[in-house]
């Protein structure tokens, strides 16, 4: 099923009046043609934070709400409810295993990351799923959309690619059980290396990610 989504980025987020005017313009566009868009992906609305739990220095991912952005987006959220348009919260960097942005591309087994979430090593994902479901219920969201361009694709190393998928898979499965969606925008899927797979498309197919927005036509391999 083909759907048309719009990513709404508040360029003037640090300037409340500029941000308000941007939201007003988007809301007017929706009112003029409410059937054009199937969904909106709103930036700054939510954040993915690593929260320190007990014992000390054990971190877990949780979803946090940006209350300032919620207030700014109020007219647009109301319009989306009025016309039955899906709303998804935008998130950028995903805290999965990553050695460093400039890691050696020959390394296929990255050590413990400077990011803290490592699903295969036992990072608890329950709090992220629980907070995601609660926030979606509060704000009327249909799901969440990540856009992690940390190393461009978003991970070039096989081990890091699998860690990135594992994070999304556990989160996405939890969201799916609660009637929510998980999508991701990928800068260059053709750059990714996935261990133990025929290729990245096969790993994408068995992922719990519901929708991929692939940007290879202008970043990676246009024939991928």
């Amino acid at each position: 099923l083909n759907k048309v989504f719009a990513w709404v980025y508040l360029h003037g987020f640090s300037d409340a009046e500029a941000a308000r005017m941007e939201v007003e313009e988007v809301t007017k566009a929706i009112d003029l043609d409410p059937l054009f868009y199937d969904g909106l992906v709103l930036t700054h609305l939510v954040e993915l934070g690593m929260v320190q739990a007990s014992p000390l220095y054990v971190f877990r991912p949780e979803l946090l709400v940006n209350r300032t952005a919620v207030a700014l987006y109020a007219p647009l959220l109301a319009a989306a409810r009025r016309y039955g348009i899906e709303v998804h919260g935008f998130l950028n960097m995903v805290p999965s295993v990553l050695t460093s942005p400039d890691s050696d591309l020959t390394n296929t087994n990255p050590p413990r990351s400077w990011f803290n979430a490592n699903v295969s090593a036992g990072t608890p994902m329950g709090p992220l799923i629980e907070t995601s479901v609660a926030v979606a219920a509060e704000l009327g969201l249909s799901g969440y959309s990540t856009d992690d361009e940390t190393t461009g694709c978003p991970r070039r190393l096989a081990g890091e690619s699998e860690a990135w998928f594992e994070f999304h898979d556990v989160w996405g499965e939890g969201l799916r059980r609660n009637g929510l969606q998980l999508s991701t925008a990928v800068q260059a899927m053709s750059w990714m290396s996935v261990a133990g797979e025929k290729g990245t498309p096969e790993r994408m197919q068995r992922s719990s990610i519901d929708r991929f927005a692939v940007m290879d036509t202008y970043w990676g391999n246009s024939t991928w």
Side-chain angles (χ1 to χ4, degrees):
L1 177 64
N2 295 320
K3 291 188 174 184
V4 177
F5 281 77
W7 272 251
V8 182
Y9 185 87
L10 296 184
H11 295 83
F13 186 71
S14 59
D15 181 336
E17 181 58 22
R20 186 195 65 76
M21 292 176 64
E22 288 179 335
V23 170
E24 185 178 282
E25 288 303 311
V26 177
T27 304
K28 286 180 180 178
I30 296 293
D31 283 329
L32 286 172
D33 194 354
L35 300 180
F36 185 81
Y37 293 110
D38 298 292
L40 302 173
V41 181
L42 306 186
T43 62
H44 304 298
L45 189 65
V46 292
E47 300 167 0
L48 211 168
M50 294 300 294
V51 178
Q52 187 173 192
S54 180
L56 292 178
Y57 308 115
V58 175
F59 290 81
R60 65 190 188 195
E62 291 188 12
L63 201 74
L64 310 173
V65 178
N66 185 330
R67 296 294 171 187
T68 301
V70 172
L72 285 168
Y73 276 126
L76 187 54
L77 290 169
R81 287 192 295 270
R82 188 160 60 247
Y83 301 120
I85 298 172
E86 295 180 17
V87 176
H88 296 249
F90 173 95
L91 298 150
N92 48 20
M93 293 174 66
V94 175
S96 66
V97 170
L98 181 66
T99 47
S100 73
D102 302 312
S103 53
D104 180 0
L105 295 183
T106 63
N107 178 15
T108 57
N109 296 296
R112 186 170 179 82
S113 170
W114 52 266
F115 273 155
N116 297 285
N118 187 343
V119 174
S120 63
T123 294
M125 294 290 283
L128 174 59
I129 295 168
E130 292 165 7
T131 51
S132 299
V133 172
V135 169
E138 176 190 347
L139 302 181
L141 305 182
S142 297
Y144 302 94
S145 182
T146 65
D147 184 358
D148 188 336
E149 302 182 17
T150 306
T151 58
C153 57
R155 304 286 186 271
R156 295 198 184 203
L157 309 187
E160 294 178 359
S161 294
E162 183 56 31
W164 181 87
F165 270 112
E166 286 176 349
F167 184 94
H168 282 82
D169 286 347
V170 175
W171 187 22
E173 189 59 38
L175 293 178
R176 196 175 288 175
R177 288 196 302 269
N178 289 275
L180 299 170
Q181 304 168 41
L182 179 62
S183 57
T184 185
V186 179
Q187 188 174 359
M189 210 73 186
S190 56
W191 294 352
M192 289 186 81
S193 174
V194 181
E197 298 288 336
K198 294 180 180 178
T200 309
E202 286 77 9
R203 184 63 180 89
M204 292 167 70
Q205 286 183 330
R206 69 178 182 85
S207 169
S208 295
I209 298 171
D210 296 294
R211 183 181 299 107
F212 287 85
V214 180
M215 297 177 259
D216 286 71
T217 50
Y218 52 92
W219 276 112
N221 182 352
S222 61
T223 62
W224 178 79

